[in-house]
Amino acid sequence: MKLELKDIQKSFGEKEVLKGISFSAVSGKAFGLLGRNGAGKTTTIRILMDVFSADGGKVTIDGAPVNYQAIKIGYLPEERGLYPKKKIIDQLRYFAELHGMKSSEAVKAIDYWLDRLDMMEHRDKRLDTLSKGNQQKIQLITALAHNPDIVILDEPFSGLDPVNAMLLKDVVKEEIANGKIVLFSSHQMNYIEEFCDRIAILNNGSVAIQGDINEIKRNYVRDKLVARSDQAGEILTELGACCTKKEDGSLLIQLKSEGQKQEMMKRLTEAYDIDEIKVFEPSLNDIFVEHAGDHV
């Protein structure tokens, strides 16, 4: 299954929020939708979910308009929307039934997910008796219990401790392995890099850059090296202004050209005790800062 957004446009009054957003995502893969607050991510997601319509462009599945009666979407919003005073099983069943499940089917699916997320002991409790992290897990069940074709996760790891974050990672990997389209929106770049093959970075209502993460990284000029050595101070002294020390203690070396890589590597490894030396590759955070800033 292939989901495509083609030239999506949206304005609210005089404000043009989306200026022709286009990207695609496929089954069995995770896609990262990134951007600063106000870049257009939430509006894009709401149009994808048919919460409201676009002013122009279209959303398609395998080239045809989306049949929202047939395609099931699961959504974990950044702003949580459950009822704090209601019993957990009652509201989970209610949300599952809104997605078309029969009550008995809903309870069976909910119990599976409560057990899968180590939450069965809280089944009959009120939501407001749970920690923030456990409330997040209950919210996740509302997105997954009806077995959606498309799973949209907006800041899914917010409020989770490392143990629960690992549990959620396993669940996300299972959803991807089960052939779902998983759409991530997050400011935690380490999770995007771990799960997503492709990304789109939005800036001011437009796609600033999109594509395969590894290809985006490879397209950067490879004219810097990263080195680690116990003799970092001596290397800094020798190389001068072209060498700087990073926060993690490694050295970032600016070359005159890409063709100087092998020469510099040989020079340093012959003269110093080098623990590691490699071509500098920008992190997703570096790419995000470059393309999501106001200057783009």
Side-chain angles (χ1 to χ4, degrees), residues 208-275:
I209 189 172
Q210 68 169 301
D212 180 274
I213 294 178
N214 292 324
E215 288 182 6
I216 290 172
K217 289 181 177 183
R218 283 195 294 269
N219 286 335
Y220 274 71
V221 178
R222 301 170 69 80
D223 62 351
K224 296 184 182 71
L225 298 178
V226 177
R228 293 182 182 277
S229 172
D230 288 338
Q231 297 176 279
E234 297 171 48
I235 297 172
L236 279 165
T237 299
E238 178 185 341
L239 298 182
C242 73
C243 183
T244 56
K245 194 169 187 178
K246 300 172 66 180
E247 290 184 3
D248 63 1
S250 64
L251 299 176
L252 182 63
I253 303 164
Q254 176 67 59
L255 305 174
K256 293 179 181 178
S257 68
E258 290 187 60
Q260 196 186 6
K261 292 195 297 286
Q262 298 302 322
E263 176 189 341
M264 179 62 74
M265 287 180 177
K266 181 179 179 182
R267 172 182 166 186
L268 292 176
T269 53
E270 288 181 349
Y272 300 99
D273 181 15
I274 300 295
D275 296 321

Side-chain angles (χ1 to χ4, degrees), residues 105-124:
E105 294 174 339
V107 170
K108 183 177 179 180
I110 290 162
D111 283 345
Y112 166 81
W113 282 110
L114 286 170
D115 182 62
R116 179 69 181 83
L117 296 173
D118 298 328
M119 295 295 293
M120 186 61 81
E121 65 183 282
H122 304 293
R123 184 181 190 273
D124 296 310

Side-chain angles (χ1 to χ4, degrees), residues 41-72:
K41 302 188 304 298
T42 300
T43 301
T44 300
I45 289 171
R46 288 176 177 170
I47 290 172
L48 164 58
M49 294 176 60
D50 199 35
V51 174
F52 46 64
S53 59
D55 297 332
K58 56 185 177 179
V59 182
T60 65
I61 294 287
D62 294 333
V66 180
N67 179 353
Y68 287 99
Q69 301 302 313
I71 296 295
K72 294 181 289 185

Side-chain angles (χ1 to χ4, degrees), residues 164-177:
N164 280 326
M166 184 64 69
L167 180 59
L168 179 54
K169 284 183 184 182
D170 291 340
V171 168
V172 172
K173 289 175 182 176
E174 288 171 10
E175 292 296 292
I176 295 170

